[in-house]
Amino acid sequence: MYSKEIQAILDKEKIRPGDIIKITTPEQTFEGILIPRPEKSSTTIILKQDSGYNLGINWQKTEKIEKISQGKELEIFPSIDIKPRKDLPEVSLIATGGTISSRISYETGGVKWLMEPGQLLSIAPELEKIINLKKIEKPFLIASENMSATHWQKLAESAKNLLNSGSAGVIITHGTDTLHYTAAALSFMLKNLSKPVVLTYSQKSTDRPSTDTVLNLTCAAYAAGHSDIAEVMLCGHAESQDTYCLINRGTKVRKMHTSVRHTFRPINDLPLAKVYPSGKIDIINENHKKRTDKKVEADTKFEEKTALIKYYPGANPDIINYFVKKGYKGIVIEATGLGHMATDESKYNWLPTLKDAIASGLTICAAAQTIYGRLNPIVYGEGRKLHDIGVIHLEDMLPETAYVKLGWILGHTKDQKRAKQMMLTNYAGELTKKTDTRTFLY
Amino acid sequence: MYSKEIQAILDKEKIRPGDIIKITTPEQTFEGILIPRPEKSSTTIILKQDSGYNLGINWQKTEKIEKISQGKELEIFPSIDIKPRKDLPEVSLIATGGTISSRISYETGGVKWLMEPGQLLSIAPELEKIINLKKIEKPFLIASENMSATHWQKLAESAKNLLNSGSAGVIITHGTDTLHYTAAALSFMLKNLSKPVVLTYSQKSTDRPSTDTVLNLTCAAYAAGHSDIAEVMLCGHAESQDTYCLINRGTKVRKMHTSVRHTFRPINDLPLAKVYPSGKIDIINENHKKRTDKKVEADTKFEEKTALIKYYPGANPDIINYFVKKGYKGIVIEATGLGHMATDESKYNWLPTLKDAIASGLTICAAAQTIYGRLNPIVYGEGRKLHDIGVIHLEDMLPETAYVKLGWILGHTKDQKRAKQMMLTNYAGELTKKTDTRTFLY
């Protein structure tokens, strides 16, 4: 709620939250959508700018506040009728929250969720010509930073059920923050996957003219309904412009930028395909699983006592003892270079602590904190020492994928030998034999 | 030591470690340098291949072992005479170990270190025409994964002394694993820096035909002796080929690939300059500090009770309590997206634990685990909650740089307010106001 002084000016100008207004200060003028304040008597006026970011202006510095246009944003996700298109592939959608399926209510400042297929079609009417969108499931609606393994398990169950009851593919809309962790989790949890499961997102909210929602949903619909790729994939902008999308393998993709639309990049593997808004799908990586008639299974066991930590100069190895005491079963360490951490005769020597942890039953893995590239612990003596005490160097597996995989593996076995063997077995494209040099900074 | 059986064959063929040999198996033939084994009675023959990696071949699978040529590698770093070149800028070098200043002794399997300026010139004779190389200091010789703040402090002292006693610039050779952490540390520790401090490295060891040492050293010499950039910089291959080098700002650079030569990439900032082996220096970022006559100071206080951790789905906030109990003064958390972690009403909610940690005196910061981009905690409600309890969102600062900076700041003050203010003050280019869009995946 704005302060009395501000409210008086707004009332005089007949301005309500949601309206586009112009504020003049001695230095500058600002345009944007007036956002309501949940706090009491706020003296800062908040404008949502076209960049998507909010701007706070101290009302005492304003010279003039004018209304530019009435807010149209107050109607949240109008729904339109869906005409069943039996000639198009039947695709289902699972909405989980995130920027892509939310819209800020300018009346309350709260988030409204996209709930019905008809609402989705009002955002991207193109979808009606691409797929027969039958159902939107909402197992939960949360920001993706609040997700954990329980949510991955629910998603795997939903996707399995939809695929086994007639859907030709599934689209999952999801917040961007932890989308690549979810993509990796579903890659391991969905067994005998025989149809496309396509995760997509939005970096710029759906109510903004610059939103990336429409292109991402359009390409995801082509990938889910029309592609032959029976894998868990992440589909989104290839470039900053609305040109085309990349489909990346769920285990070989990472959010690499806080805010740009083409934030999800392939890591240590080429994208599976390019998808154009015209529907054209250019396969890049021929080495992918194809559609079959197999029944999909959800194999979702996950050991929550799994950790991901990062090594850095001066890192005290005692942190490992903490995890041992707390009953953890496995740890992925983001190691430096080819898979290293301090192993010399200093107080930071990680060798004795790691040796004890492994002896007490933990599975300890190393992944590359450089993100790109492949570990090779036997090039230098230091890495060899870690290898010799039983640290499992995970080749070219992403640290985030490695964490998810380790939790999934430890959900199935606590036997160290078996866990090691499974960590070094390729289940869903997470390990490659040779890395194409074009993949660096793709 | 090889097993009796292998040694008999080697003796018969007059093969000694260091010789180039050819091994024929039923499937393939392999060529490489025979590496001695430190273990007793090894039955695996180790070849160092031209790729630089070692290959193990079970001797029982060998059909033939032949000598191709006598090893020349046994002479470790021959030294050549230096003729003082008073007409060239006087530059000093600090060797710290790492691939660039080491060479494997094929007799012992151990590492031999580059010790004298004359040895460096035998590797890169070009240097003699670029700089007057006066002195090589060796404060310590270790692999860079074994470094910590004590080493950074010694380096800062060495660099300061050399610069204040006549050197026009300093080159530091260093292992790649933690080179970017050292670059950041020196950026903060060297105050009133009035001359170039250039860190360089090698990804492919100096005794290999494919080594990157020569180009990196050549460009580093031009940067240290001839450039006007009075900053801490990291100089190395711009591309996979031996074309030219990039000079990146010490606080805005990161090792991004485990093995390629152009592994160090600029993050959230353009490189300072391109340096060609001809000596041409193309300035890209005009906004850099220029040479002056100021006396350099080393301000090296560092709080070792500083941690860097990574948030991930399912991460238990209790890890924060561990650091509090252990007396830590500050933590940098690699947060998701625009600066988030779980803040909902689940068992993984980080808010209460972070609030308590901040109340008990810790300085808690967030940096972007996406690596590229800028945090903005006020776009979404979730980030705002973290901001409101006092988590310091570090804009576009790299997590690694943030860890180093936090340790350095907490070495100077334990006052939370002052520490926050210092963390958000730009000292060495670690914070920029606006990020050039060309920097993403540069």
Side-chain angles (χ1 to χ4, degrees):
Chain A
M1 216 181 295
Y2 285 108
S3 68
K4 268 190 289 182
E5 295 85 351
I6 297 177
Q7 198 56 52
I9 303 169
L10 297 178
D11 288 347
K12 203 180 129 209
E13 301 291 329
K14 295 191 179 149
I15 294 169
R16 291 194 323 157
D19 290 347
I20 295 169
I21 64 169
K22 183 162 135 187
I23 296 183
T24 308
T25 69
E27 293 86 27
Q28 243 183 308
T29 63
F30 302 97
E31 271 195 37
I33 297 163
L34 180 69
I35 301 290
R37 307 283 334 236
E39 308 87 7
K40 264 192 191 167
S41 301
S42 173
T43 54
T44 305
I45 300 172
I46 305 292
L47 288 190
K48 189 178 183 73
Q49 297 184 289
D50 190 42
S51 68
Y53 295 130
N54 293 341
L55 178 79
I57 303 159
N58 187 333
W59 87 274
Q60 284 168 316
K61 291 200 180 142
T62 61
E63 287 183 341
K64 201 160 68 171
I65 301 179
E66 298 158 273
K67 181 161 162 180
I68 303 290
S69 63
Q70 188 84 30
K72 287 179 195 156
E73 289 68 21
L74 298 178
E75 199 176 340
I76 305 298
F77 289 135
S79 185
I80 68 162
D81 286 343
I82 302 181
K83 298 171 204 88
R85 286 282 304 260
K86 289 272 162 79
D87 54 324
L88 293 174
E90 182 185 316
V91 167
S92 299
L93 189 139
I94 305 173
T96 70
T99 305
I100 188 168
S101 56
S102 66
R103 197 161 179 170
I104 290 165
S105 157
Y106 295 114
E107 284 293 5
T108 65
V111 167
K112 290 271 180 183
W113 299 103
L114 163 75
M115 298 298 274
E116 300 303 327
Q119 293 175 314
L120 193 70
L121 290 180
S122 79
I123 298 162
E126 297 85 344
L127 293 188
E128 213 175 5
K129 291 170 200 148
I130 306 168
I131 51 171
N132 186 16
L133 182 64
K134 211 175 166 184
K135 207 173 172 183
I136 297 191
E137 287 206 354
K138 295 142 293 207
F140 49 84
L141 287 170
I142 57 173
S144 80
E145 64 268 30
N146 290 326
M147 285 201 194
S148 60
T150 321
H151 302 95
W152 303 335
Q153 290 164 334
K154 282 183 192 160
L155 282 179
E157 289 294 339
S158 288
K160 176 199 77 173
N161 292 335
L162 291 166
L163 293 173
N164 287 343
S165 57
S167 289
V170 165
I171 300 170
I172 301 174
T173 60
H174 195 293
T176 57
D177 274 39
T178 68
L179 176 49
H180 47 303
Y181 294 91
T182 299
L186 295 180
S187 301
F188 298 116
M189 288 179 174
L190 287 170
K191 269 172 76 173
N192 295 328
L193 186 58
S194 50
K195 295 167 181 174
V197 171
V198 187
L199 294 133
T200 195
Y201 65 90
S202 170
Q203 281 273 77
K204 311 277 172 187
S205 68
T206 302
D207 51 352
R208 284 157 64 184
S210 65
T211 185
D212 47 348
T213 302
V214 178
L215 181 69
N216 286 354
L217 272 180
T218 303
C219 294
Y222 281 116
H226 300 266
S227 90
D228 196 35
I229 309 172
E231 300 205 15
V232 175
M233 318 162 228
L234 204 161
C235 175
H237 273 59
E239 307 178 322
S240 61
Q241 297 303 306
D242 273 343
T243 45
Y244 67 99
C245 285
L246 294 180
I247 296 180
N248 285 300
R249 184 166 268 154
T251 53
K252 287 289 196 193
V253 61
R254 191 176 187 281
K255 184 171 184 182
M256 291 296 286
H257 195 289
T258 56
S259 58
V260 300
R261 298 137 152 250
H262 54 309
T263 179
F264 286 98
R265 310 310 306 173
I267 309 285
N268 295 336
D269 209 351
L270 290 172
L272 292 169
K274 296 177 180 178
V275 186
Y276 295 84
S278 64
K280 189 164 75 121
I281 299 177
D282 283 345
I283 299 290
I284 300 175
N285 190 335
E286 289 289 351
N287 181 25
H288 62 259
K289 289 195 186 132
K290 313 288 186 298
R291 283 181 189 267
T292 64
D293 293 328
K294 269 191 206 156
K295 214 177 146 186
V296 182
E297 289 171 45
D299 179 8
T300 67
K301 287 192 287 275
F302 191 91
E303 171 56 64
E304 294 200 1
K305 292 283 190 189
T306 307
L308 173 61
I309 64 172
K310 178 162 174 165
Y311 176 79
Y312 53 91
N316 196 311
D318 184 57
I319 189 73
I320 298 292
N321 297 329
Y322 163 81
F323 288 111
V324 172
K325 268 178 220 147
K326 292 283 173 179
Y328 275 68
K329 307 298 178 212
I331 305 173
V332 173
I333 305 172
E334 290 192 6
T336 65
L338 294 165
H340 307 140
M341 41 210 113
T343 54
D344 63 347
E345 294 309 312
S346 75
K347 62 180 165 175
Y348 298 121
N349 182 0
W350 280 54
L351 278 175
T353 316
L354 288 177
K355 210 171 163 179
D356 290 350
I358 293 167
S360 79
L362 270 78
T363 298
I364 308 276
C365 302
Q369 72 175 248
T370 58
I371 298 173
Y372 293 97
R374 184 181 297 276
L375 299 188
N376 186 336
I378 61 165
V379 171
Y380 298 102
E382 306 293 307
R384 198 185 286 265
K385 290 183 205 165
L386 292 163
H387 181 253
D388 289 348
I389 63 163
V391 173
I392 307 163
H393 285 81
L394 296 177
E395 302 274 338
D396 68 328
M397 204 188 303
L398 266 170
E400 291 84 359
T401 298
Y403 159 68
V404 170
K405 181 174 179 181
L406 184 58
W408 181 72
I409 299 254
L410 294 173
H412 291 77
T413 182
K414 299 289 186 284
D415 180 75
Q416 278 175 314
K417 243 187 175 163
R418 177 83 185 118
K420 177 177 180 175
Q421 189 215 333
M422 290 174 81
M423 282 308 287
L424 295 174
T425 300
N426 180 43
Y427 285 85
E430 74 277 15
L431 288 165
T432 67
K433 288 212 169 131
K434 201 170 184 307
T435 309
D436 191 306
T437 51
R438 286 171 297 167
T439 60
F440 183 38
L441 306 173
Y442 187 103
Chain B
M1 214 181 295
Y2 284 108
S3 67
K4 269 191 287 184
E5 295 85 350
I6 297 177
Q7 199 54 51
I9 303 170
L10 297 177
D11 288 348
K12 204 181 127 208
E13 301 291 330
K14 296 188 177 152
I15 294 169
R16 292 194 322 158
D19 290 347
I20 295 170
I21 64 169
K22 182 163 135 187
I23 297 184
T24 309
T25 70
E27 293 86 27
Q28 245 182 304
T29 63
F30 302 96
E31 272 194 38
I33 297 164
L34 180 69
I35 300 292
R37 305 287 328 241
E39 307 87 6
K40 265 194 188 164
S41 301
S42 174
T43 55
T44 304
I45 300 171
I46 306 292
L47 288 190
K48 190 178 182 71
Q49 297 184 288
D50 190 42
S51 68
Y53 294 128
N54 292 341
L55 178 80
I57 302 160
N58 186 333
W59 86 275
Q60 285 169 316
K61 291 198 181 144
T62 62
E63 286 182 344
K64 203 162 67 173
I65 300 178
E66 299 158 272
K67 181 162 163 178
I68 303 289
S69 63
Q70 189 85 30
K72 287 179 194 156
E73 290 68 19
L74 298 177
E75 199 176 339
I76 306 300
F77 290 134
S79 185
I80 67 163
D81 287 344
I82 302 183
K83 298 170 204 88
R85 285 282 303 262
K86 290 271 161 77
D87 55 324
L88 293 174
E90 182 185 315
V91 168
S92 299
L93 188 139
I94 305 175
T96 70
T99 305
I100 188 166
S101 57
S102 66
R103 197 159 179 170
I104 289 166
S105 157
Y106 296 114
E107 285 292 5
T108 65
V111 168
K112 290 272 180 180
W113 298 104
L114 163 76
M115 299 297 276
E116 300 303 329
Q119 294 176 313
L120 192 71
L121 290 180
S122 79
I123 298 163
E126 296 84 344
L127 292 189
E128 213 175 4
K129 290 170 200 148
I130 306 169
I131 51 173
N132 186 15
L133 182 64
K134 208 175 167 186
K135 205 173 174 184
I136 297 192
E137 287 208 354
K138 297 142 292 208
F140 48 85
L141 287 170
I142 57 173
S144 80
E145 64 268 28
N146 290 326
M147 285 202 193
S148 59
T150 321
H151 302 96
W152 303 336
Q153 289 163 336
K154 283 183 191 160
L155 282 180
E157 288 294 340
S158 289
K160 175 199 77 173
N161 292 336
L162 292 166
L163 293 173
N164 287 343
S165 57
S167 289
V170 165
I171 299 171
I172 301 175
T173 60
H174 194 293
T176 57
D177 274 39
T178 67
L179 176 50
H180 47 304
Y181 294 91
T182 300
L186 295 181
S187 300
F188 298 116
M189 289 178 173
L190 288 171
K191 269 171 78 173
N192 295 330
L193 185 59
S194 50
K195 294 167 181 175
V197 172
V198 187
L199 294 133
T200 194
Y201 65 91
S202 170
Q203 282 273 77
K204 312 277 172 186
S205 69
T206 301
D207 51 351
R208 284 158 63 185
S210 64
T211 186
D212 47 348
T213 301
V214 179
L215 180 69
N216 286 353
L217 272 179
T218 304
C219 294
Y222 281 116
H226 300 265
S227 88
D228 196 35
I229 308 172
E231 299 205 17
V232 175
M233 318 162 229
L234 205 161
C235 176
H237 273 60
E239 307 178 322
S240 62
Q241 297 304 305
D242 273 343
T243 45
Y244 67 100
C245 285
L246 293 180
I247 296 180
N248 284 300
R249 183 167 268 155
T251 53
K252 288 289 196 193
V253 61
R254 191 176 187 279
K255 185 172 184 182
M256 291 296 285
H257 195 288
T258 56
S259 57
V260 299
R261 297 135 154 254
H262 54 309
T263 180
F264 286 98
R265 310 310 306 174
I267 310 285
N268 294 337
D269 209 353
L270 290 173
L272 291 169
K274 295 177 181 180
V275 186
Y276 295 84
S278 64
K280 187 166 77 121
I281 298 177
D282 282 346
I283 298 290
I284 300 175
N285 191 335
E286 288 290 350
N287 180 26
H288 62 260
K289 290 195 186 132
K290 314 287 186 298
R291 282 180 189 268
T292 64
D293 293 329
K294 269 192 205 153
K295 216 178 145 188
V296 182
E297 289 171 45
D299 178 9
T300 67
K301 288 191 287 275
F302 191 90
E303 170 55 64
E304 295 200 1
K305 292 282 190 191
T306 307
L308 173 61
I309 64 172
K310 178 162 173 165
Y311 176 79
Y312 53 90
N316 196 311
D318 184 58
I319 189 74
I320 298 293
N321 297 328
Y322 163 82
F323 288 111
V324 172
K325 268 178 218 147
K326 293 283 173 179
Y328 275 69
K329 307 297 178 213
I331 305 173
V332 173
I333 305 172
E334 291 192 6
T336 65
L338 293 165
H340 307 140
M341 41 211 114
T343 53
D344 63 347
E345 293 310 313
S346 74
K347 63 179 165 177
Y348 298 120
N349 182 0
W350 281 52
L351 277 176
T353 316
L354 288 176
K355 211 171 163 180
D356 289 351
I358 293 167
S360 80
L362 271 78
T363 297
I364 308 275
C365 303
Q369 73 175 248
T370 56
I371 298 172
Y372 292 98
R374 183 181 297 275
L375 299 188
N376 187 334
I378 61 164
V379 171
Y380 297 101
E382 307 292 309
R384 197 184 287 263
K385 290 182 204 165
L386 292 163
H387 177 76
D388 289 347
I389 63 163
V391 172
I392 306 163
H393 285 81
L394 297 176
E395 302 276 336
D396 67 327
M397 204 189 301
L398 266 170
E400 291 83 0
T401 298
Y403 159 69
V404 170
K405 182 175 179 181
L406 184 59
W408 181 72
I409 298 253
L410 293 173
H412 291 76
T413 181
K414 298 289 187 284
D415 180 74
Q416 279 176 314
K417 243 187 176 164
R418 177 85 185 117
K420 177 178 180 172
Q421 189 215 334
M422 290 174 81
M423 282 307 288
L424 295 174
T425 300
N426 179 43
Y427 285 84
E430 74 277 15
L431 288 166
T432 67
K433 289 213 169 130
K434 202 170 183 308
T435 308
D436 192 306
T437 52
R438 287 172 297 168
T439 60
F440 183 39
L441 305 173
Y442 188 104

